[in-house]
Amino acid sequence: MFNPSTDKKVAIFLADGCEEIEALTVVDLLYRAGIPCVKVSVGETPVVCSSHNVTVTADTTVSHLSWDEYDMLILPGGMPGTLNLKACKPLTDAVLRFRKEGKPLAAICAAPSVLAELGILKGVRATCNPSVETALTENGAELVRENAVTADRIITSRGMGTAIPFGLAIVAYYLGQETADDLGRNIIYYP
Amino acid sequence: MFNPSTDKKVAIFLADGCEEIEALTVVDLLYRAGIPCVKVSVGETPVVCSSHNVTVTADTTVSHLSWDEYDMLILPGGMPGTLNLKACKPLTDAVLRFRKEGKPLAAICAAPSVLAELGILKGVRATCNPSVETALTENGAELVRENAVTADRIITSRGMGTAIPFGLAIVAYYLGQETADDLGRNIIYYP
């Protein structure tokens, strides 16, 4: 049973070839924390096939999304999922608009490169997958190698193995560090 | 692209109300490791809805499964997913048969209780979610609290936050610890 803990809503974007664990770990943790999270396919239908051949049905598609209802846009990584996110003009337009409006953004693994190439990470402390570090440094990000980084309203993380710290950082952003720490213990990520 | 590294095949069982990250983290890691893993719905159709409202389409259903083709059966946890696995007679029959034949089994979170209640964990070193520990101790398991335990051809783990150690333990079972450790570093779970 979903028990909302905030009136903020977030949207996470699923593309064919996305890394399903990077996406769904966030969905799972936000559900547990009571943060409404809508799964949005960037394709023409809600059905997406992940980079490891997992078929997931999203809640809606980008063409049906009421963008202004959402507080944060979340981009999972994976290949070619990240390229499919990058190629989705309605999404990259919204990312730029959200940034201009001071709304938070989050990206993990290869997806921080999408933010970097839009010019959004200039001067921002951020992390990403080792495979796309040059995309960040060439676009002026202050690259660090940490599991999850929250800076200047942007949350970034490194890969499938850091999806839980990434999700917990989003929980901490909305509900505070203590709530995130409790959740981390509850799922037996922390002892 | 899936590159098989073994001729052994494993089956993972998805039920309505299963914990999607416990299930799909295994699918993800086995895919990366080249271990063929078939997703099997215990329902009448391949479509299942997880405990956090994620709709996943499995590869097949229990009624269409050629059980003898598989080397290991894997049970994810979650509620009421675990109860739905327990209520699936073709699955529990197969679990008992696999055990008798000396084939490996794996279960995480609440699902080790299914093995315990079938009498399979008697005298076996095993772990599980704190919520079902009495099911293990009352059925003679040697309960330990570790992220993942491999003993007597049974792999067990504790919860959503230990899904990666669980998946890596299955990889280690088939391909050795070094391969599992390399994969753990590759996904940035280990530094």
Side-chain angles (χ1 to χ4, degrees), chain B:
Chain B
M1 190 74 79
F2 181 74
N3 292 310
S5 57
T6 169
D7 56 1
K8 297 285 176 68
K9 291 202 296 186
V10 307
I12 188 162
F13 294 85
L14 307 184
D16 283 331
C18 71
E19 221 292 348
E20 68 277 11
I21 296 305
E22 293 169 3
L24 297 179
T25 296
V26 172
V27 171
D28 184 319
L29 292 173
L30 298 191
Y31 187 104
R32 289 171 184 258
I35 301 168
C37 175
V38 168
K39 301 177 286 296
V40 186
S41 163
V42 299
E44 288 183 12
T45 80
V47 180
V48 300
C49 185
S50 80
S51 55
H52 307 108
N53 200 29
V54 176
T55 301
V56 176
T57 304
D59 303 309
T60 187
T61 67
V62 273
S63 58
H64 290 88
L65 198 66
S66 303
W67 297 88
D68 292 345
E69 289 180 12
Y70 295 90
D71 185 62
M72 177 189 283
L73 308 179
I74 305 170
L75 280 57
M79 281 297 174
T82 300
L83 302 179
N84 290 331
L85 295 184
K86 203 175 294 193
C88 179
K89 187 83 165 45
L91 174 58
T92 53
D93 283 352
V95 164
L96 285 167
R97 195 168 63 247
F98 269 56
R99 183 60 177 165
K100 204 176 229 175
E101 293 170 355
K103 286 176 162 180
L105 299 163
I108 180 170
C109 190
S113 70
V114 179
L115 306 186
E117 288 168 12
L118 290 169
I120 282 177
L121 296 187
K122 207 174 169 179
V124 177
R125 198 166 163 275
T127 195
C128 64
N129 195 265
S131 62
V132 299
E133 287 184 348
T134 54
L136 267 70
T137 52
E138 284 176 1
N139 287 284
E142 186 196 321
L143 180 70
V144 293
R145 289 176 182 147
E146 296 175 14
N147 284 348
V149 176
T150 303
D152 199 10
R153 297 182 312 286
I154 293 178
I155 299 166
T156 50
S157 183
R158 301 193 77 204
M160 184 263 202
T162 66
I164 289 177
F166 180 59
L168 292 177
I170 298 171
V171 172
Y173 181 88
Y174 285 110
L175 305 177
Q177 193 59 49
E178 199 177 330
T179 299
D181 289 346
D182 284 347
L183 180 54
R185 280 186 289 271
N186 188 259
I187 61 167
I188 318 183
Y189 182 68
Y190 304 129

Side-chain angles (χ1 to χ4, degrees), chain A residues 11-16 18 39-45 48 60-65 67 73-76 80-98 105 111 114-115 117-118 120:
Chain A
I12 188 162
F13 294 85
L14 308 184
D16 283 332
C18 71
K39 300 177 287 296
V40 186
S41 162
V42 300
E44 287 182 15
T45 79
V48 300
T60 187
T61 66
V62 273
S63 57
H64 289 89
L65 198 66
W67 297 88
L73 309 179
I74 305 171
L75 281 58
T82 299
L83 301 179
N84 290 332
L85 295 184
K86 203 174 295 193
C88 179
K89 186 83 164 45
L91 174 59
T92 53
D93 284 351
V95 164
L96 285 166
R97 195 169 61 248
F98 269 57
L105 299 164
V114 179
L115 306 186
E117 288 168 13
L118 290 169
I120 283 177

Side-chain angles (χ1 to χ4, degrees), chain A residues 101-157:
Chain A
E101 293 170 355
K103 286 175 161 182
L105 299 164
I108 181 169
C109 191
S113 70
V114 179
L115 306 186
E117 288 168 13
L118 290 169
I120 283 177
L121 296 187
K122 204 170 173 184
V124 176
R125 200 167 162 274
T127 194
C128 64
N129 194 265
S131 62
V132 298
E133 286 184 349
T134 54
L136 267 68
T137 51
E138 284 176 2
N139 287 283
E142 185 195 323
L143 180 70
V144 293
R145 289 177 182 145
E146 296 174 15
N147 284 348
V149 176
T150 303
D152 200 11
R153 298 183 310 287
I154 293 177
I155 300 167
T156 49
S157 183

